[in-house]
Each structure stands twice: as C-alpha cells, then as structure tokens.
Amino acid sequence: MHYSSQQSQIDIYKPVRHLHTLVVIIPAGTAMDIRAIKSNCIERILRKIFRMYSKLMCRFPFLPVVLSLLATIGFGMGLIFFECEYSFEALYVPDHSQALRDQKKVSDLFPLDFYQFSPSRVYDTRQIRVSVGLTAKDDGNLFAYEQIQSVLDINEQIMSFPILHQDGVSSFRDLCAKWNTSCVLNPLLIYLNNTVHSSTHSSEPQYAISVPYPKIIDESGTEHFIDYYVGDALVVSGSVSDARFLLVEYFLRGGPDEELSRTWERAIVEHLSNREFPLVEVAFSASDSLDQAQEELLSSAVANFIGMVVLMTVLAMFTCMMLRDNVMSKPWLPLVAVVTVAMAVVSAMGLLSFCGLPFNQAALLMPFLLLWTGLHHVFFMISTWRCNNFSSDIKETIQETLEVTGTSITIATLTEIVIFFICATSSVPVIRAFCLYTGVAMIFNYVYQFTILAPIMLLFGHIEVANRHCCTCLQVRSKDNQDNSTVYNVFCAGGSDEFALKSVHIVKTFFDTTFTLIFAYIIPLLVFAIFLVVYIVVSIVGSSSIAVGLEIQNMAPTASHTYNYLDLRSQQMTDFGPLVSVVFTEEIRYWDKTVQRALEDTMTDFEKSSFVKPKDYTQCWFIDYYQHFNLTDDKDLMFDEDEFISTLRFNFLGRPNTAKYELDIKFQANKSVIASSRCILSTQNVTTAEDQGQMMQELRAIASRIDTEIVIFAPDFFLYEQQMTSAPEIIKLNIATGLCTLIMALLLVPNPFVALCVCLMTMSILTGLTGFMSFWGISLDVISIINLLICVGISIELSTHLAYLYTYVSISPISRLSWSLGIIGFPVCQSVACTLVSLFLFVGFPAYFYQTFAKVIFLTMSFGLLHSLIFFPTILMILFKGKSHVNYTK
C-alpha cells in the first residue's frame, strides 16, 4: 500500500476513500508495531464468509427476506401460549431457597386453622388480609382523643363494609379469621375502644388516650405487646399517650371461603382508595397488592416504551439524512432496522412462550437493548457504506461494507449472547427469564440484520447509483446541474461522482480530521489519561459504598396505595422487625431435666442476639410451661413424662391466656408424644436491607450450632434471601463480562493488545456505572442488576467496533485512529443522542423500576460516549504511538 503526504486521499483499502486526511510521519522503531502481533485466523474466516454471503445475496436478494418473514411467522405462532408472570414470589425468590423449604416444613407441621387463628403464627405472605396504616394528619398525635375516635369510626366502616354475592350479603365479620367464635382483631384497637367508651361516662375532659407500655392485657389475661401495632411512640412513665402510627390488619378466611374473601378484599381496597377521612390519613395494602403492582407497572410502561421506540426511530431517520445530498441520504434504513428488531422480538417471545417461559416486567426491557443495538448497527453500516468508493460496482460496495461491519457486529453480538446465556444460570427467576429472552432475541436480531437489513441496503444502493431521491425513489438531477433552482437543490437534487466527493457527512469529516488531531499530541493524551485514572478511582470509591438490597415498597408504583403503605410502615415501624418462628422438628424429651436446661439455653442464645428483643417478648410454650410448674408445689412432676404430657394437655393448654400455645405443639396421633413444636421470637434493629440479611443469617447460624434440627422461618425471609443474592449476582456478572469479553476479543479481534483494551474498557464502564449508581442513590438489587446487564451489551458494542476498525488496516497509528473514528465516531453519537432524547419519556415515571432504568441508561450513554471517543483512543495512542510528526493536509 502506498502512503505518502503527497496524496489527496488515502487508499486504506480498495473501496475506502478519505477526503480529509491526517498525514503522519513516524520514525522507524518509535511505536509498537501492531502488525507484528496478529491473531486473526477466525477473523479472516468471518470476512470470507461475509464476502461469500454478499455475493449470494446479490444474486438472490429477496430469498433471505422471504425466509426471514416465514421464520418470524412460524416462531410467532408460539405466542398463542403467551403468559405473563406477576407473582413477586415466583419472580424474585431465588431457586432452591431455604425459606421456601422451611415454609414447606412449617406449613406441614402447623397448618393454618382459620377458626383457631393467630396472626403471629402466619407463615404465608399471601395470607388473605387487608393491612391498614393510620397516621394523624399534619403529623399530629394519633392517640389524641378526636383522632382515636376517627380511627374507631374507620375501623367500624371497614368491618361493616358489605359485598353482594349470589348467596346474599357478607361483611368482614362474616369472613374473618377467628379464634374460637370471635374475629381476630387488633387487641390495641379493642383496648382503645374500651377506653374511649369508658371515658364517655367520665366528667373529666379527655385530650389523649394513655396506653400501658410495653404490653396490655386483654379480658382473657393474654398479654399483647403494643410494639407490634404502634410506631414512633413516645414512652413516658411506662405508658404511651403520643404515637404517630397505628397498624391494623384484617385477616380473612381461606379454604372454601377464599374466593369470597378475595372479593371482599378487593372491594374494600377500592372503597378506601376513593375515601378521604378528616383527621386521619389511611394507607393500606392487600395480600396480592404486590402482584397487582407488577401487572400495573407492566401495562403502564408499555405506552412509554412504544413512545420511546417511535421517538428513537424518528430521530434515527433524521440523523441518517444528508442535508446536502438527497440521493446519498438513507432515512428508511433505520426504520427497516426497527422492523427487524420487532421481528426478532416476536420470534423470541413466540419460541420461549412455546417452551413455557412466562414473560415478565423485566423482559419488557429486552426490546430496548435490541432496538439500541439494531440502530447502532445500521448507523455503523451506513457510515461504512459512505466511506466506500462511489465509482465502484454496487455489488463490490456491499461486499466490502458487510466484510467490515459484519465481522465487527459478529464479534460484539457473539460476546453479548454468551454473557447473557451465562447469566441465564442465575438463581433468581426474573434475571434468568430476562437473560433468556434477551439472548434468544439477540440471535434472531443478528440473523435478521443480515437477511433483511442487508438486502434492503443493497436495494437502496441501486437507488443511489441510479441517482434517485432517497424518499420518493424518483430520479433527480445532480447538484452541479446548472438548471437547478435553490429550492430544487435543497429538497431534490443529489448525486454525481463529482459532488459525491464533496458531500461527505460533516460530522464524519470532523471526527477523522479535527477530532483525531487531539490524540496526536502528548499533552491531551496525558490529560485524558489522568482523567481516566481519576474516573476509575472515584468509581471504585462509589462501588465500595453502594447500598445492597431491594426495598419492598420499590416494587410498587410510587403513586400507589401499596407503595404508600409499605413506605410508611418501613419508616414508622423501625423498632420492630418480623416475628420469627423457631421450630423444633424432631421429638424431644421435654420432661427430661437435662433437655429442659438445654432448651432454655438454646432460647437464651437466640435472645442474646442484638437482633432479638428481650425474653419478655418471646412466645415460647415450654418456657411458660416450666414457669407454670415452678409456681406449683409439685415441681418434680414436670420431670415425669406422663404427668408432663397430661398437665400440658388438660391444664396448661386449657387456660385462656396460654391456649394460644396449642397452635405451637404438634402431638402424634395418640396425643402422648410431642412430635414437634415451635417458639416465636420478636426481632429488632432491622431497618436496612443489610440488617435484615444479617439477622436471618445470624439466627440460622445459631440454630445450626444446636444438636437437634431447628428451622428458623419468617415470611419476610423470602425478601431477605432475594436481597442477599444481589452481591453474588453482580460478582457473576462482572466475572462473566470480563472473561467473555476477553476471550471473545482475543479469538476474534486481530490484535491481542487491542482485545485486552476492549475488555478493560467494558469493565471500566461497568465499574463507573456501579460507582456512580451509589452517588445517585441507586441500590445494588435485582432491578439494577438487570439494567446493568443491558449496559454490558451497550458497552461491548461501543468498545468492539472501534477496536476492530483500528486493527483492520495496517498504517500509522494516528491515521488508523483517524480512519476508525471517521467511520464509528458519528454512529456512536447518533446512538447516544437518540437514546438520551428518548429517555425523557421516563423522567419522573412513577416507579422505581423504570426510574432506575432511565438513570442507569443515562449513565451508560454518558460513560460509553466518554470511553469510545476519549478514553479508548487515548489508550490506543499511548500503546501504539511513539514520537510522531503530524502534518495536516487536505
């Protein structure tokens, strides 16, 4: 190849032209020779494959289009099996969850009885209930007399609210879960009601209701700790007369009455949604509110995504116009790319629906990645096409275009597909489904880009050669025709060989001349290198302090009643955590003195934890039973098996204040042996997701040190386990991204040093995202991990194409960078600009899921642009450029 400062253009490879060129003279031995190290055996094969496919496509241009349409119809038939999954448990609870196994054991040992019901023994988050959180307006005292009267009125309205059905009318009192014959109600609310009624007969004015702390005693003598029901309470002299939050739960029966209970639950939620109360704010949630929230989010976001697709498409079409040439413009190709993306999405959804994989909210983000990738590829192909020699044969032009872009796109797409399929091994169902949908859709999109987009591009090539208008396809006169009017030149004219040499896109000219000049001097390179180091250090600092875990309220729309209730409860009930069951699953000699001492020590070990409230809060039948014996004159009888069991059944469990323990003891069929039993711990200090995970692990660790088998379970453990998977999942993502990018780049990029740079740039973007997510208040959770997976795909695209172009030609480093940026610089700007503008549709979207999506994609676009146009060229020039003398010529 000839390369001299006398040429007006550089013949980098046969069909490539440069109109403004940097001429670089580099003394021998002063730069790393990138041509000395080659690993392009697979890359050469890919280039030959694309050249052969181009020749075949030129002979039969419509055959791949027809086959692709038939494939889309065939795979799309699978959509008749389409299903959506909205269940929080099915989507976010990890596979092989210990909480799931423990829940199964607890439910088998202690099945719920809706006529012997205790709220503290509920083991299923889907237990039918309506939870109501009450606060006084203007942040007032909820225990003030007027506010309490309003609370009692609201309670009566809820309990009396009727629903009509075919068998008559039912209210909460007809459907409630019961203890013996009475509905299970909030004991604090009963106490307040009794206090208010008694105060009406008093002549003294009442300003606030005073409640004993920490517990109240009901008519049966049963103790109830009020920490379960109030939040942000002010305790003075052993009583509470000032509180900001009151929790009331209305439990309904399942089983045969489940359908009717669900109907009442939905009806009361709708009723409360339309009511305003004068003195009290009411926040509420139902047992299936989270599942309904997933459905609402999915349906509400569809319109935004459709708008995003339309806006990105319109912007892409506009950026592919060449205002100075109406023949060379390619406005329809982005629209074709969008069509291929739609076909890929339909094919993937049809195939996976046929295979039985339900769609979900996270999978809705998959079309965005495919759309961004499809548009970026078409920008890349158009830019490469415009670099070709316009006097050459159109078939040769398409062959050269696909040889360059096809190989580069293959490298990037294969890397992304491998990463998504590796991450599809995730234990979290929602991540697994997203990765499978995305990986399969990317395969279809890759195929359709070359079977549909490439033939259509060939068609537009023939239109261009025939000097036809890009939009109307009518033949027009060239720009240099003397008969053209100004209006005709602006809206119609274009083409001709002479004018084509002057109508290179102005942005491309900027990148391969002025912009590249920056990297020819040492001072800008040092500044950029220092900037890169600072960026990485700041990113690492941010990554080290990022919060981990998903707040449960963030699964609901921020304007929904479910979000308001969960957020209010998390803020107000800061001193009280979930009730945790300690289940002894094996037969134990409870009457044995040594065993009794060991059991008491076991419960003491649990109570020593900083996450467990003092022993007064513990509900444990054998502790109270031993104390019962100690208060009698027959203490020795508790060491006799028969007397122990007999007194337990006919005396202790028959007392009103200890009858609840009947739910905690499972006898064998003959009622003479205790097969299993449980105690209930009250927890505290679990205000953050990290605290919740530590509490669960600590209690399980204590149980594992005991000789007998103990199950530790709380319904909230499903959420805690999901939160604990965030760190392992992000580690897997980083390892998969790093290794796959490095291996695929080493195999397919012709130079190993450049391949290593691709890996480093991708990991740098991912590190920056994680760090700046921390600064922006985004937690590391399942939702942000899904968004990071999208960003991995985008980062690979932005790094791989520049790397491949840089190694494609063998000239001086600065000229190679000029040629590479001249091709890929403008496509990068097009992709980033279209995305950033369309993201405005999600600004202020009332859901954490999509707010996180918008924030993370914004960071990705910003850091991707910075790396692909600044940091990556800087690294390449530092590695492969020595001292050079730069002459700028036209």
Side-chain angles (χ1 to χ4, degrees):
M1 186 181 86
H2 301 289
Y3 187 77
S4 69
S5 58
Q6 307 301 321
Q7 293 176 298
S8 62
Q9 62 183 42
I10 298 180
D11 189 17
I12 294 178
Y13 69 101
K14 183 178 178 181
V16 175
R17 62 166 178 78
H18 270 253
L19 304 178
H20 304 280
T21 303
L22 288 172
V23 180
V24 185
I25 304 172
I26 303 178
T30 59
M32 180 185 294
D33 188 0
I34 196 171
R35 292 167 289 178
I37 306 174
K38 286 285 184 179
S39 55
N40 62 342
C41 55
I42 300 178
E43 182 259 352
R44 286 202 308 269
I45 295 174
L46 287 175
R47 287 168 57 183
K48 290 180 181 178
I49 290 174
F50 278 105
R51 182 167 283 274
M52 292 171 59
Y53 170 74
S54 301
K55 293 179 180 179
L56 183 64
M57 183 186 68
C58 290
R59 293 185 61 188
F60 308 101
F62 296 108
L63 179 61
V65 176
V66 173
L67 293 177
S68 298
L69 292 174
L70 292 176
T72 302
I73 295 173
F75 285 113
M77 294 295 290
L79 287 174
I80 61 176
F81 303 100
F82 180 79
E83 292 181 356
C84 270
E85 180 63 75
Y86 304 113
S87 169
F88 176 84
E89 185 175 305
L91 290 174
Y92 292 94
V93 175
D95 297 333
H96 313 298
S97 164
Q98 184 175 339
L100 279 176
R101 298 194 302 270
D102 292 343
Q103 183 193 49
K104 180 68 167 58
K105 291 179 181 178
V106 174
S107 62
D108 291 342
L109 293 173
F110 307 102
L112 286 177
D113 183 349
F114 294 106
Y115 293 92
Q116 292 290 113
F117 185 84
S118 173
S120 60
R121 273 72 176 172
V122 172
Y123 52 77
D124 192 347
T125 55
R126 293 170 297 181
Q127 166 63 40
I128 308 174
R129 78 184 92 179
V130 176
S131 302
V132 178
L134 301 162
T135 56
K137 289 188 175 181
D138 302 322
D139 196 29
N141 177 15
L142 193 62
F143 278 15
Y145 190 78
E146 290 184 348
Q147 277 74 9
I148 284 295
Q149 285 186 319
S150 180
V151 167
L152 295 175
D153 290 342
I154 293 170
N155 176 64
E156 182 59 31
Q157 289 182 38
I158 293 175
M159 294 178 61
S160 304
F161 182 78
I163 57 169
L164 297 175
H165 52 90
Q166 60 183 7
D167 296 326
V169 180
S170 296
S171 67
F172 171 76
R173 290 184 174 91
D174 303 310
L175 301 169
C176 63
K178 297 184 176 182
W179 178 258
N180 295 330
T181 58
S182 301
C183 288
V184 175
L185 302 175
N186 185 317
L188 178 58
L189 209 57
I190 296 175
Y191 181 90
L192 292 171
N193 184 60
N194 295 336
T195 304
V196 168
H197 281 296
S198 63
S199 67
T200 57
H201 304 291
S202 173
S203 59
E204 297 181 2
Q206 295 289 327
Y207 300 104
I209 304 297
S210 181
V211 179
Y213 184 86
K215 57 188 176 184
I216 56 176
I217 301 175
D218 63 17
E219 296 176 352
S220 68
T222 303
E223 297 178 343
H224 302 278
F225 288 91
I226 68 172
D227 286 339
Y228 298 162
Y229 312 109
V230 298
D232 197 10
L234 179 63
V235 181
V236 179
S237 301
S239 65
V240 174
S241 57
D242 189 340
R244 294 293 185 268
F245 178 79
L246 176 63
L247 173 64
V248 184
E249 293 187 296
Y250 301 87
F251 291 92
L252 296 105
R253 296 194 298 271
D257 299 318
E258 179 173 352
E259 184 177 352
L260 200 55
S261 295
R262 294 284 183 194
T263 303
W264 185 89
E265 180 188 40
R266 289 190 290 269
I268 192 63
V269 166
E270 183 178 357
H271 173 73
L272 292 175
S273 301
N274 300 320
R275 286 298 307 274
E276 280 286 338
F277 300 96
L279 300 175
V280 177
E281 295 283 357
V282 179
F284 50 91
S285 176
S287 57
D288 60 350
S289 290
L290 273 183
D291 296 347
Q292 291 181 354
Q294 302 301 302
E295 185 174 358
E296 291 172 8
L297 281 177
L298 183 60
S299 58
S300 62
V302 168
N304 288 65
F305 274 104
I306 292 175
M308 189 177 197
V309 170
V310 172
L311 185 56
M312 288 183 70
T313 304
V314 172
L315 291 173
M317 294 175 68
F318 176 76
T319 60
C320 287
M321 294 288 293
M322 293 183 66
L323 300 180
R324 293 189 297 171
D325 196 308
N326 295 292
V327 171
M328 293 180 61
S329 295
K330 300 287 186 294
W332 297 118
L333 285 182
L335 183 61
V336 177
V338 174
V339 172
T340 63
V341 168
M343 293 172 59
V345 171
V346 169
S347 299
M349 291 177 62
L351 175 60
L352 293 176
S353 296
F354 177 78
C355 295
L357 182 64
F359 196 76
N360 58 64
Q361 179 185 206
L364 186 62
L365 302 181
M366 169 265 296
F368 166 77
L369 177 59
L370 263 67
L371 177 64
W372 187 92
T373 304
L375 291 178
H376 185 63
H377 289 172
V378 78
F379 295 151
F380 183 24
M381 295 171 75
I382 292 174
S383 181
T384 307
W385 176 281
R386 286 172 175 163
C387 288
N388 288 330
N389 190 344
F390 293 97
S391 61
S392 64
D393 182 70
I394 191 64
K395 296 180 180 179
E396 183 67 19
T397 302
I398 193 67
Q399 289 173 14
E400 294 290 353
T401 299
L402 290 188
E403 182 180 339
V404 177
T405 59
T407 306
S408 184
I409 290 172
T410 300
I411 296 171
T413 305
L414 281 179
T415 305
E416 295 162 33
I417 290 172
V418 171
I419 290 174
F420 277 111
F421 281 132
I422 290 176
C423 292
T425 61
S426 170
S427 62
V428 182
V430 68
I431 295 179
R432 181 170 61 248
F434 171 78
C435 291
L436 286 173
Y437 267 102
T438 306
V440 172
M442 291 193 77
I443 294 175
F444 283 111
N445 192 40
Y446 172 77
V447 173
Y448 292 159
Q449 280 180 337
F450 295 110
T451 57
I452 295 179
L453 181 60
I456 299 299
M457 192 170 188
L458 175 65
L459 173 63
F460 278 101
H462 286 294
I463 292 174
E464 182 180 310
V465 170
N467 216 65
R468 295 181 178 273
H469 197 277
C470 62
C471 296
T472 64
C473 297
L474 299 175
Q475 199 161 26
V476 295
R477 297 190 295 271
S478 61
K479 284 275 188 177
D480 49 10
N481 194 306
Q482 299 296 325
D483 298 330
N484 294 345
S485 65
T486 303
V487 175
Y488 189 90
N489 272 336
V490 172
F491 294 103
C492 300
S496 87
D497 290 343
E498 292 76 11
F499 188 78
L501 294 177
K502 303 177 183 178
S503 59
V504 178
H505 204 291
I506 187 172
V507 181
K508 177 197 177 303
T509 305
F510 166 77
F511 276 110
D512 65 11
T513 55
T514 308
F515 187 75
T516 308
L517 267 177
I518 300 173
F519 302 97
Y521 300 99
I522 189 65
I523 293 179
L525 292 179
L526 288 176
V527 172
F528 293 152
I530 294 172
F531 187 22
L532 175 59
V533 172
V534 172
Y535 159 83
I536 293 175
V537 171
V538 173
S539 300
I540 293 174
V541 170
S543 300
S544 63
S545 60
I546 190 170
V548 178
L550 176 65
E551 299 292 342
I552 186 66
Q553 63 266 27
N554 288 332
M555 297 305 302
T558 53
S560 67
H561 60 79
T562 304
Y563 179 90
N564 293 335
Y565 167 77
L566 293 172
D567 187 54
L568 181 64
R569 182 171 179 173
S570 67
Q571 293 177 16
Q572 299 292 343
M573 304 290 284
T574 55
D575 297 330
F576 196 80
L579 296 173
V580 178
S581 297
V582 181
V583 182
F584 300 88
T585 61
E586 300 174 347
E587 294 182 14
I588 298 176
R589 299 169 59 86
Y590 293 97
W591 58 87
D592 186 277
K593 182 182 295 187
T594 305
V595 173
Q596 290 177 6
R597 191 175 297 113
L599 288 172
E600 291 175 337
D601 292 342
T602 297
M603 296 308 298
T604 301
D605 288 341
F606 284 115
E607 290 162 354
K608 286 180 180 178
S609 169
S610 61
F611 295 110
V612 178
K613 279 185 170 290
K615 63 180 181 180
D616 290 344
Y617 286 82
T618 301
Q619 304 175 47
C620 191
W621 72 270
F622 56 75
I623 298 295
D624 288 354
Y625 189 42
Y626 297 157
Q627 291 176 353
H628 166 75
F629 265 112
N630 289 330
L631 295 175
T632 66
D633 296 331
D634 301 322
K635 297 179 182 179
D636 293 338
L637 292 178
M638 72 175 177
F639 306 124
D640 179 78
E641 179 180 359
D642 294 334
E643 192 64 34
F644 185 94
I645 296 297
S646 176
T647 305
L648 174 65
R649 290 180 58 197
F650 300 110
N651 186 343
F652 183 75
L653 296 180
R655 298 164 58 190
N657 61 330
T658 55
K660 62 183 179 181
Y661 290 133
E662 187 176 353
L663 302 176
D664 298 333
I665 304 172
K666 181 179 178 61
F667 292 97
Q668 288 188 351
N670 57 12
K671 299 292 184 179
S672 61
V673 177
I674 298 175
S676 59
S677 70
R678 67 180 167 187
C679 298
I680 309 295
L681 297 174
S682 300
T683 59
Q684 61 184 357
N685 302 326
V686 285
T687 55
T688 66
E690 185 177 0
D691 294 336
Q692 294 165 351
Q694 288 180 357
M695 180 269 287
M696 181 179 66
Q697 288 182 310
E698 185 173 317
L699 295 184
R700 285 176 174 175
I702 295 173
S704 66
R705 296 196 292 266
I706 311 301
D707 292 336
T708 187
E709 181 184 2
I710 298 178
V711 171
I712 304 295
F713 176 76
D716 291 346
F717 281 5
F718 293 117
L719 176 64
Y720 300 171
E721 286 189 338
Q722 177 271 316
Q723 292 168 345
M724 292 177 60
T725 60
S726 298
E729 290 298 330
I730 197 65
I731 291 173
K732 179 192 290 186
L733 172 61
N734 279 294
I735 293 175
T737 301
L739 289 179
C740 291
T741 306
L742 180 60
I743 293 172
M744 297 300 291
L746 287 173
L747 289 174
L748 300 173
V749 175
N751 183 276
F753 292 104
V754 179
L756 179 61
C757 290
V758 173
C759 177
L760 294 177
M761 288 297 102
T762 304
M763 296 306 298
S764 175
I765 295 174
L766 192 57
T767 304
L769 285 172
T770 309
F772 282 81
M773 279 167 50
S774 174
F775 300 138
W776 208 341
I778 303 174
S779 301
L780 189 62
D781 51 41
V782 172
I783 294 174
S784 57
I785 288 174
I786 291 171
N787 285 284
L788 286 175
L789 282 165
I790 296 176
C791 300
V792 166
I794 295 174
S795 303
I796 292 172
E797 290 283 343
L798 293 174
S799 302
T800 303
H801 298 320
L802 177 60
Y804 180 73
L805 291 172
Y806 191 77
T807 59
Y808 187 79
V809 292
S810 297
I811 52 177
S812 64
I814 193 67
S815 297
R816 189 162 49 245
L817 183 63
S818 170
W819 182 74
S820 304
L821 289 176
I823 292 179
I824 200 61
F826 185 41
V828 168
C829 294
Q830 287 175 288
S831 306
V832 171
C834 292
T835 306
L836 290 179
V837 173
S838 61
L839 277 181
F840 280 105
L841 292 174
F842 286 94
V843 173
F845 192 88
Y848 172 81
F849 192 100
Y850 297 107
Q851 288 176 2
T852 301
F853 164 75
K855 291 177 181 179
V856 175
I857 296 301
F858 174 81
L859 291 175
T860 304
M861 293 297 111
S862 303
F863 295 154
L865 185 69
L866 188 65
H867 280 72
S868 59
L869 298 184
I870 300 294
F871 292 157
F872 202 176
T874 299
I875 297 299
L876 291 175
M877 292 308 298
I878 291 175
L879 285 178
F880 303 115
K881 171 185 175 296
K883 297 178 180 179
S884 61
H885 176 68
V886 182
N887 293 326
Y888 175 66
T889 63
K890 286 190 177 182

